[in-house]
Amino acid sequence: MPIDIKSLPEDQISAVHDLTGKELKTGWTVTKRVEPKPGSSGGGFSVCYLATKNGEEGFLKAINVLSFLNDDDIDFTKAMADTLNTFNFEKTILEKCGNQNLSKVSRLLDAGSENMTGYIINNVNYLVFEKADDDVRNFINFSDKIDFAWKLRSLHNIAVGIRQLHSLKISHQDLKPSNVFVFNKEVSKIGDLGRALSDSIIGPHSHRNFAGDARYAPPEVFHMYVLPEWQDKVFAIDCYLLGSMACFYITGQSMTALLVRVAFAKNNLLTLKFDEALPYWIEAYDEVLERVNDVLDDYEDKEKLIESIRMLCQPDPKNRGHFKNAGSRRNIYNMERFVAIFNLLASKAEMKIRK
Amino acid sequence: MAFFFEEKNRLVIPNWRSFSNTSKIGELNGTQKIEINKNFKPEIEDIVDGWVEHKTIGMAADLIGVAIVCNKQNDGNVKEAAKFIIANKELCNKELIDAAKSIIEKGKDDGTKLDATELESFQERSNLYFVYQRISNLKSSLRTNPKNPILWVEIARYYSIIGQNEQAERAILNAYYLSPDNRFVLRAMARFFAHIDKVPFVHDIIRKSLVTRYDPWVMATEISLASMRDRYSRFMKSGLNMVKSSDFHPFNIAELNSSLGTVEIQSSLKKSRKLFNDSLISPNDNALAQAEWISHRERNLISVNPDNFKIQNDFEAKARDASEHGRWEDAVNYSKQWFLDMPFSRGAILFGSEIASNNLNNHDEAISLYRAGLTSHPNDHSMLNNIIYSSCLINRLEEAEHFMNRYREQYSDNSLHHKICFTATKGLYHFRKGYQDIGRDLYQQAIEMASEAGQKDLASIALVNYIREEIIAGNHLDEDFKQKIIELKENTSINTVKRIIGDIENLIAEKTNN
């Protein structure tokens, strides 16, 4: 009688579920199983643990090639191949970042594979990241003015992270609150590069025009409008997502949520092509910025902050980016000016607190 | 005497409402099937998991934001997160609290309620303060967002409401330069330029626009504009093919059917009837009003009862229907709502005030309508003449004098029709002021002008108005005039003449009794 694999406990099927207490070849000792980060690109097909090595704590993400076991109507071979490809892609991207010492991108500490006996699936592939305190959603509130300096510094950190990735011709594509991690309660870093796009590393999402989470995506994604140049297409999206994070920090809502709430109360924009819908997105956008402006109340640099969001999140991707970059030979979506703006705003706010 | 509003022809020129109202009515939605991003799966389970694990404000905020994008506001966890936000207001700002409230209240309000058009607001809307305030706000927004075409259309609309047509024209052209193929912009332009008698200009733009070839809403507008220029639209054939195809929802081709039906009535009643019937499958207010209007003009074409349709802001159709059935007060009230819905509309004012004045003999009501209409048409000679006429009839002579001065400032070179009416109105004013000789002389001039120009109807109206004034002034009526009244009573088909003769007879009867 054949064994019904589905009826077995998962820690007997695959070693990936049974790593707690194990010492890995890379020197990491697995201490505790934890839930994958909600909304992370690998959340569905990874099993996560905490691990330690030489007193340092790491976040271990092990790939679960049987994550589709209970799904019906799935091409199992293809799903498994996709999972492995995604894992390998993220590993390659992270290694590329690691080689460049990107300070504001969640660092890959180790990657390895183990072969353990006694399981149907013996092989375990894993990545170990530096361990964050948590993602930003568990740090933030939306009223405390003292916190505002922290938020501005966090935005500055995120902008630096995006700039660092762009310098390697990598677009994050999936910047959202669950992918911003806080370290030592101070530093923010962007993580989860599973949906990133690179001009040189081919991954399972490379053929897509947008690989990230559509629930946070800019308007053009809903209409499948795409800029012709690869670099413009992907960096324009990162610009929007950075501005959208700023909106989240200020209002508690992403730019997409704010736009949808305003625009769709009047009109079903999804019935229109992008060029037809664009004037209506712009109209909603202006209303949203007025609302963000209202929330900022008497913040002394609110004009500068609003102006930055305005440039970052323009519904028309062609008009996104700092206006001073337009017409120059540089990439118009260059993050440098926004890094400088957020740094200035954060520094001013921090100085004000110290006084 | 009053200048009569004769609506010989009505065309399907788009109604120009605020962007918000136009959108909510559904006139800006897509008309064709388009490819949707299949990667978008509106699922929220992963974010819900995060919320269940960590019930923090950040998690709750993220969850409700994603739920809004995915239209999952009714999910139990989302509602719980929204309540959590409300319960922790001290950690939240106004925007987040509003978002949470919108989730808790989802379903209680469908969000499609249009801006107020309640009758009670009619008097306050004659006060232009709110219009100037809106213009000021829009100017401020446009300084920050000069590339927003919708804001330019909105400000043009408000300028148009207060009759500042030059500013309105500049603004609407800015919208056009920013968004030359946008339906809302093009249709607003059509209405505005029709309103300021620059039909050829706007028709040439819309005729050449790329969007006119495939958008039934804009095509309908083009066909009507061509009719206004007495031209046959080049889009008639493609329009007929479009309405025959099954590619469009009936609502999206209602105006097109209506426009085509209005043109086809010249050549084939049968074709026209089919087109009008199709326009009523799922009409907007404009298509319904057109059908209502045509049903009075061509009695055998179609029969329309606006109450059978559930359409928002169908005030014009209801006003016409009420008038047709002699429900005069209803007709005036619907005209007011029609005006509130489209405050630059001349038709609403002239339609309602004429009924108030002629059918209800309620000159106070007529004056209040004219006053409202003069805000967006400050130089309209018909309205100015008629407000003077109504003011004189109820002896508000100072008010009449004020508008007389305005009339004189504006018009030195009027059409003969206007000259006749205004000369007679001046005659009325002088009679009421006690200057009977001057009044008599002016009435005589008006009657002679009308007779010489072969305008028998106008001459008759001037004559009965004059006779009424002589009686009110207590003067003896010559036998000649008495005879003329008897002849007119037997022969005239003009309701106004009949009504004034009725007034005269009552006055004579009153004097005899006294």
Side-chain angles (χ1 to χ4, degrees), chain B residues 419-431:
Chain B
K419 269 186 190 159
I420 294 166
C421 288
F422 189 57
T423 306
T425 302
K426 283 191 289 184
L428 166 66
Y429 169 76
H430 283 94
F431 257 103

Side-chain angles (χ1 to χ4, degrees), chain A residues 152-273:
Chain A
L152 290 168
R153 181 55 66 199
S154 177
L155 282 174
H156 169 240
N157 290 168
I158 297 166
V160 171
I162 295 288
R163 184 195 61 188
Q164 289 174 339
L165 288 173
H166 285 192
S167 69
L168 301 177
K169 296 282 167 69
I170 295 170
S171 161
H172 189 284
Q173 295 275 299
D174 202 18
L175 183 60
K176 57 185 177 182
S178 61
N179 284 342
V180 174
F181 299 100
V182 181
F183 294 81
N184 303 321
K185 295 185 179 168
E186 275 188 15
V187 178
S188 299
K189 295 188 184 187
I190 51 178
D192 196 353
L193 297 185
R195 300 279 172 171
L197 294 177
S198 158
D199 71 335
S200 56
I201 304 167
I202 304 298
H205 311 297
S206 299
H207 64 284
R208 289 193 188 169
N209 290 316
F210 174 69
D213 188 336
R215 299 170 301 184
Y216 300 86
E220 70 267 22
V221 169
F222 295 105
H223 301 274
M224 297 173 62
Y225 172 82
V226 179
L227 291 177
E229 294 293 324
W230 181 88
Q231 183 169 291
D232 293 345
K233 173 181 75 180
V234 298
F235 290 170
I237 285 171
D238 280 352
C239 265
Y240 176 90
L241 295 174
L242 173 62
S244 183
M245 278 303 297
C247 271
F248 180 76
Y249 278 21
I250 298 165
T251 66
Q253 299 283 278
S254 70
M255 177 56 84
T256 308
L258 291 166
L259 277 174
V260 165
R261 200 164 141 234
V262 171
F264 283 68
K266 299 171 186 165
N267 219 344
N268 185 358
L269 299 188
L270 294 185
T271 61
L272 300 168
K273 292 178 196 155

Side-chain angles (χ1 to χ4, degrees), chain B residues 2-265:
Chain B
F3 183 93
F4 287 95
F5 168 55
E6 254 189 300
E7 199 176 28
K8 288 178 188 158
N9 205 5
R10 187 193 185 280
L11 293 163
V12 193
I13 302 298
N15 286 331
W16 185 14
R17 297 188 171 90
S18 68
F19 171 69
S20 170
N21 278 357
T22 310
S23 302
K24 285 176 187 169
I25 285 170
E27 289 180 6
L28 303 181
N29 285 337
T31 55
Q32 290 171 315
K33 286 171 192 164
I34 60 160
E35 205 180 345
I36 300 172
N37 191 342
K38 290 182 184 118
N39 289 326
F40 183 63
K41 295 186 180 72
E43 291 163 0
I44 58 168
E45 286 75 12
D46 55 335
I47 315 283
V48 168
D49 290 346
W51 158 247
V52 171
E53 198 182 336
H54 297 283
K55 296 202 169 168
T56 61
I57 282 292
M59 285 287 185
D62 191 27
L63 175 57
I64 68 163
V66 167
I68 287 167
V69 176
C70 297
N71 198 20
K72 298 268 185 183
Q73 292 95 323
N74 289 327
D75 182 281
N77 284 299
V78 175
K79 296 257 185 216
E80 186 196 23
K83 283 176 189 164
F84 181 83
I85 287 167
I86 302 289
N88 291 280
K89 276 183 184 168
E90 70 283 0
L91 299 176
C92 306
N93 56 57
K94 183 184 167 296
E95 190 57 38
L96 187 55
I97 293 165
D98 280 355
K101 280 184 184 165
S102 80
I103 284 176
I104 292 166
E105 287 160 13
K106 167 96 174 168
K108 288 181 188 166
D109 175 13
D110 62 6
T112 54
K113 196 164 180 261
L114 304 187
D115 295 348
T117 45
E118 277 84 26
L119 269 177
E120 299 75 52
S121 56
F122 184 79
Q123 287 304 332
E124 61 191 74
R125 285 294 283 274
S126 310
N127 177 352
L128 294 181
Y129 173 71
F130 112 97
V131 180
Y132 285 109
Q133 201 176 30
R134 282 296 296 143
I135 288 175
S136 168
N137 292 343
L138 284 163
K139 271 184 178 174
S140 157
S141 300
L142 279 165
R143 268 193 290 275
T144 328
N145 328 305
K147 288 187 178 175
N148 183 333
I150 307 298
L151 289 185
W152 284 113
V153 176
E154 294 289 77
I155 201 169
R157 185 169 163 274
Y158 281 108
Y159 278 131
S160 170
I161 287 171
I162 55 169
Q164 294 189 7
N165 289 333
E166 280 179 26
Q167 288 90 330
E169 185 171 345
R170 275 199 296 273
I172 206 155
L173 286 174
N174 282 344
Y176 171 67
Y177 298 139
L178 287 167
S179 209
D181 288 319
N182 181 272
R183 186 194 301 165
F184 178 67
V185 173
L186 289 173
R187 282 165 58 84
M189 276 179 80
R191 168 59 79 167
F192 172 71
F193 283 105
H195 169 70
I196 61 165
D197 293 329
K198 286 191 179 176
V199 173
F201 172 75
V202 74
H203 179 232
D204 287 344
I205 286 175
I206 291 181
R207 187 165 52 95
K208 291 171 190 168
S209 169
L210 198 65
V211 75
T212 312
R213 292 181 203 169
Y214 61 83
D215 187 321
W217 292 94
V218 184
M219 194 183 278
T221 305
E222 195 283 335
I223 291 167
S224 295
L225 289 172
S227 299
M228 281 184 98
R229 292 177 86 179
D230 293 324
R231 288 186 180 183
Y232 190 78
S233 166
R234 65 160 79 150
F235 291 100
M236 280 299 289
K237 197 176 170 188
S238 42
L240 287 165
N241 288 335
M242 207 179 248
V243 297
K244 271 184 210 158
S245 76
S246 53
D247 297 343
F248 298 91
H249 186 279
F251 179 74
N252 285 323
I253 49 172
E255 279 198 12
L256 182 57
N257 269 311
S258 190
S259 275
L260 292 165
T262 309
V263 177
E264 285 290 341
I265 205 164

Side-chain angles (χ1 to χ4, degrees), chain A residues 91-200:
Chain A
K91 183 172 161 237
T92 315
I93 288 271
L94 285 164
E95 282 168 351
K96 186 173 181 178
C97 296
N99 294 338
Q100 302 294 323
N101 283 325
L102 305 189
S103 60
K104 297 295 181 288
V105 178
S106 182
R107 206 153 41 96
L108 180 67
L109 301 177
D110 250 322
S113 65
E114 298 287 325
N115 206 326
M116 299 175 179
T117 52
Y119 305 93
I120 294 172
I121 308 286
N122 292 332
N123 196 264
V124 178
N125 292 295
Y126 61 89
L127 302 169
V128 184
F129 298 87
E130 55 181 335
K131 187 183 169 299
D133 301 337
D134 216 326
D135 79 47
V136 76
R137 294 172 301 174
N138 290 323
F139 273 84
I140 206 162
N141 73 53
F142 303 102
S143 71
D144 194 348
K145 284 187 181 171
I146 296 170
D147 237 21
F148 203 61
W150 184 93
K151 287 180 186 174
L152 290 168
R153 181 55 66 199
S154 177
L155 282 174
H156 169 240
N157 290 168
I158 297 166
V160 171
I162 295 288
R163 184 195 61 188
Q164 289 174 339
L165 288 173
H166 285 192
S167 69
L168 301 177
K169 296 282 167 69
I170 295 170
S171 161
H172 189 284
Q173 295 275 299
D174 202 18
L175 183 60
K176 57 185 177 182
S178 61
N179 284 342
V180 174
F181 299 100
V182 181
F183 294 81
N184 303 321
K185 295 185 179 168
E186 275 188 15
V187 178
S188 299
K189 295 188 184 187
I190 51 178
D192 196 353
L193 297 185
R195 300 279 172 171
L197 294 177
S198 158
D199 71 335
S200 56

